[in-house]
Structures are given as structure tokens and as C-alpha cells.
Amino acid sequence: MEKSKESSFLFCNLCGTMLLLKSPRHAECPLCKTSRNAKDIVDKKIAYTVTTEDIRRELGISLFGEKTQEEAELPKIKKACEKCQHPELVYTTRQTRSADEGQTTYYTCPNCGHRFTEG
Ligand SMILES: [Zn+2]
Ligand SMILES: [Zn+2]
């Protein structure tokens, strides 16, 4: 039984035949007998692993990017709170489905937490 069968593989540069790992240090083409440093095979394996990790990391970054946009600072307006007369309110606007109704403005008082709409 040959141990080389369970080993890593790489294809021969010259004839395209799968190389056999003859020792932990060198691989050989069974057809044209070209030998190759086993370090090349190991390096390739590492490169594939890094690529997969990079894709995962990229996906993670894009998800975090969306979250940051949502948490962006809310706009403020010089308007008195109905409840406590605080002079500045946080507001968000939302376009309603019907064009006739137009835009609705949502106000939140940063002082007492009172919420009301205008639109
Ligand atoms: Zn070959
Ligand atoms: Zn208030």
C-alpha cells in the first residue's frame, strides 16, 4: 500500500497529470517524472483557505455597514414640545402611500420623550 494516495494533489505543469507526493518534501509526476517541491502544494492550500475567509469577512463588513446607516444621527428642529415646552425636537419624515396625504412628520421630544405627528 502506498501512502501517497491519501496525500494532497497538484497537477503537473508539463503534462497535466496529477502529481503524487513521494515524500513530505517532494511530489513527482508519474508520467514525465517531473519533481516538484511539496512546499508549493502546501502554499496553495493556504491560499484557498484565506480566500474563503476573505469572502466571509467581506459579507460581515457589508452587514455592519447597513447597521451604521440606521443609527445615523437624527435631525433636529427648532420647535417647542407640546408637553414640556422644550425648544428643540428630534424629527423624522415619512412619505405616506397616497400622494394626496403627502408627508407625515414624526416629532420626539428629547427632554420628556413625548411623541406626536404632524402631516
Ligand atoms: Zn508530467
Ligand atoms: Zn417634551
Side-chain angles (χ1 to χ4, degrees):
M1 285 291 254
E2 270 190 315
K3 266 193 174 179
S4 58
K5 290 204 173 171
E6 67 189 47
S7 62
S8 321
F9 61 88
L10 193 74
F11 296 97
C12 174
N13 285 344
L14 300 173
C15 68
T17 304
M18 196 187 286
L19 297 178
L20 295 173
L21 203 66
K22 290 288 180 186
S23 83
R25 291 195 177 183
H26 100 276
E28 193 183 78
C29 174
L31 206 72
C32 67
K33 304 294 175 194
T34 305
S35 68
R36 201 154 170 186
N37 197 326
K39 198 172 171 286
D40 292 348
I41 302 167
V42 175
D43 286 346
K44 279 244 162 130
K45 276 190 138 186
I46 291 166
Y48 288 135
T49 313
V50 169
T51 307
T52 315
E53 279 302 306
D54 280 349
I55 292 164
R56 278 187 196 162
R57 214 172 297 152
E58 267 181 52
L59 288 170
I61 285 167
S62 73
L63 284 171
F64 281 130
E66 275 179 44
K67 215 171 188 179
T68 312
Q69 266 189 331
E70 268 183 47
E71 285 166 8
E73 210 177 301
L74 291 162
K76 285 175 183 176
I77 192 165
K78 295 278 179 195
K79 192 174 167 72
C81 171
E82 289 177 332
K83 220 172 181 180
C84 72
Q85 305 306 310
H86 185 76
E88 201 176 49
L89 300 175
V90 172
Y91 77 98
T92 50
T93 53
R94 215 160 286 177
Q95 197 79 39
T96 47
R97 279 183 200 176
S98 136
D100 300 335
E101 285 171 26
Q103 227 178 30
T104 307
T105 310
Y106 297 83
Y107 298 101
T108 305
C109 175
N111 188 47
C112 72
H114 178 61
R115 287 175 174 220
F116 62 100
T117 59
E118 203 173 75

